Amino acid sequence: MRIRQQFSLLITNIRRSLPPVRNIIMSSESDHSPAFNTPRLVLKKVLAKSQREGDGAVVRRGIGRSELKNLDPFLMLDHFSVSPPGGFPDHPHRGFETVTYMLEGAITHQDFAGHKGTIGPGDVQWMTAGRGIVHSEMPGEATNKGLQLWINLSAKDKMIEPNYQELLSDNIPTAEKDGVEVRVIAGEAMGVHSPVYTRTPTMYLVFTMMPGSEWHQSIPESWNSFVYVFEGEGVFGSPSSSPTMPYHVLVLSLGDGLSVWNNSSKPLKFVLIGGQPINEPVVQYGPFVMNTQSEIEKTIEDYQYGKNGFEMRNNWRSQ
Ligand code: CO
């Protein structure tokens, strides 16, 4: 313990004695950010192309498309856009969590246990499907946009009771520094913590960076992480890398943090999401995600016959 403390003091002193980051970049042609021991770099850049989903909805699928099938523990990231009469009518989930973050408009959800609610811009619904939820997710008027992330659950949590954590926009911890604003949906940044309980350890940060700003965000070293840019353009990982435009997913290498620069003349908005890998086999059949094929077959049977968590589906229809 003592050695560790001395070591971290040493690192702190070394960091203190370094000139500011910007000076280093200007005075040398350094190709990596000096803010971290092992800066995370961009391993893969993929455009989340639009596709049809649900009933008349359009989604840009980032994680979960063929080039990015699974980034343990993440199964899917959809940037959805939906207008009435479209939507996501009654459908089941088992074995993972869905996190919905609204960007514009509203979504009303109803489930077979009588849980009902509407989330609007900046609100989050963190739904643990566990052993089973059947629900509908239907849009408000006009255009409704948001992000839906699917986070896998480990074998020990797949069959837990369903649960909701809802965070209204005003209650999301937010911090701001040097032209950089962060909203902390899960995890910690700029010294503020999210109250969300994550069964699979996860960080979910929403950043807005003003023109000319830069940010260096720590990330637990062994977690998988990615960025999704939804507005503006930014430089990620290395100051010499080419700017990333909206609707791209960046898969990051492992490391202790990510550096970001907004060298453009407009605000940059993106999410940075990271999670501890579960390292278990993943067998997915649409909205069911289990560890083995036989568990999937069992799930289909449970859903069809309304048992083992799907009992309430038998006589239920959303309004
Ligand atoms: Co759903």
Side-chain angles (χ1 to χ4, degrees):
M1 197 60 181
R2 230 204 142 79
I3 290 169
R4 191 176 274 258
Q5 274 165 2
Q6 282 170 356
F7 181 70
S8 72
L9 198 66
L10 182 71
I11 296 290
T12 310
N13 288 338
I14 291 171
R15 287 231 174 108
R16 282 209 186 107
S17 66
L18 289 172
V21 169
R22 208 169 257 290
N23 291 349
I24 294 176
I25 293 163
M26 290 195 301
S27 61
S28 73
E29 300 256 319
S30 168
D31 191 44
H32 68 273
S33 162
F36 301 107
N37 294 323
T38 319
R40 288 186 181 240
L41 301 174
V42 176
L43 284 182
K44 205 169 182 180
K45 185 185 212 173
V46 177
L47 175 65
K49 291 185 201 122
S50 294
Q51 62 185 70
R52 302 191 71 81
E53 189 65 33
D55 188 357
V58 174
V59 303
R60 290 184 175 275
R61 181 154 296 168
I63 306 297
R65 56 184 310 106
S66 56
E67 308 96 297
L68 283 179
K69 215 48 210 160
N70 185 336
L71 185 69
D72 190 9
F74 306 109
L75 303 160
M76 196 190 85
L77 178 77
D78 274 358
H79 182 185
F80 60 84
S81 176
V82 56
S83 313
F88 304 93
D90 307 3
H91 62 276
H93 295 283
R94 175 183 274 181
F96 60 99
E97 300 182 291
T98 69
V99 181
T100 308
Y101 178 63
M102 290 305 295
L103 297 169
E104 184 186 329
I107 291 284
T108 296
H109 61 95
Q110 282 182 58
D111 81 5
F112 68 168
H115 190 271
K116 188 178 173 181
T118 299
I119 52 171
D123 297 344
V124 174
Q125 185 207 55
W126 194 291
M127 182 184 91
T128 305
R131 64 206 295 248
I133 271 183
V134 182
H135 72 168
S136 64
E137 296 156 286
M138 301 303 283
E141 291 167 17
T143 306
N144 306 272
K145 294 182 179 177
L147 303 175
Q148 189 170 86
L149 176 72
W150 289 12
I151 308 173
N152 203 3
L153 288 168
S154 64
K156 69 171 172 38
D157 288 333
K158 283 190 180 295
M159 293 298 279
I160 59 176
E161 285 299 315
N163 182 56
Y164 290 94
Q165 300 176 80
E166 239 164 46
L167 268 187
L168 297 181
S169 185
D170 287 347
N171 300 329
I172 294 178
T174 301
E176 200 175 342
K177 202 177 170 187
D178 303 332
V180 180
E181 185 210 74
V182 65
R183 311 190 77 217
V184 184
I185 294 174
E188 189 246 311
M190 291 189 200
V192 297
H193 297 256
S194 165
V196 166
Y197 175 67
T198 58
R199 280 163 190 80
T200 303
T202 301
M203 75 188 297
Y204 189 145
L205 308 175
V206 185
F207 282 97
T208 302
M209 292 179 55
M210 288 300 139
S213 65
E214 63 180 67
W215 187 247
H216 307 280
Q217 177 60 47
S218 296
I219 302 170
E221 197 144 5
S222 61
W223 288 15
N224 286 328
S225 68
F226 68 95
V227 161
Y228 177 68
V229 176
F230 56 92
E231 202 179 310
E233 60 177 82
V235 172
F236 293 85
S238 157
S240 61
S241 62
S242 59
T244 296
M245 303 297 167
Y247 318 127
H248 285 83
V249 170
L250 305 176
V251 176
L252 305 176
S253 61
L254 296 183
D256 55 348
L258 173 70
S259 295
V260 187
W261 297 265
N262 181 355
N263 300 327
S264 79
S265 58
K266 290 182 178 147
L268 160 68
K269 296 186 180 188
F270 65 95
V271 291
L272 169 60
I273 295 172
Q276 187 180 312
I278 293 173
N279 293 316
E280 289 176 7
V282 176
V283 183
Q284 177 168 2
Y285 179 76
F288 304 138
V289 182
M290 303 301 286
N291 296 109
T292 66
Q293 186 58 36
S294 71
E295 285 168 354
I296 287 290
E297 283 158 20
K298 178 78 168 52
T299 299
I300 293 168
E301 190 188 309
D302 287 348
Y303 177 62
Q304 272 174 349
Y305 294 100
K307 49 184 197 175
N308 294 316
F310 288 115
E311 286 80 359
M312 284 178 287
R313 83 165 284 250
N314 295 325
N315 299 307
W316 182 78
R317 292 264 180 296
S318 62
Q319 291 150 14

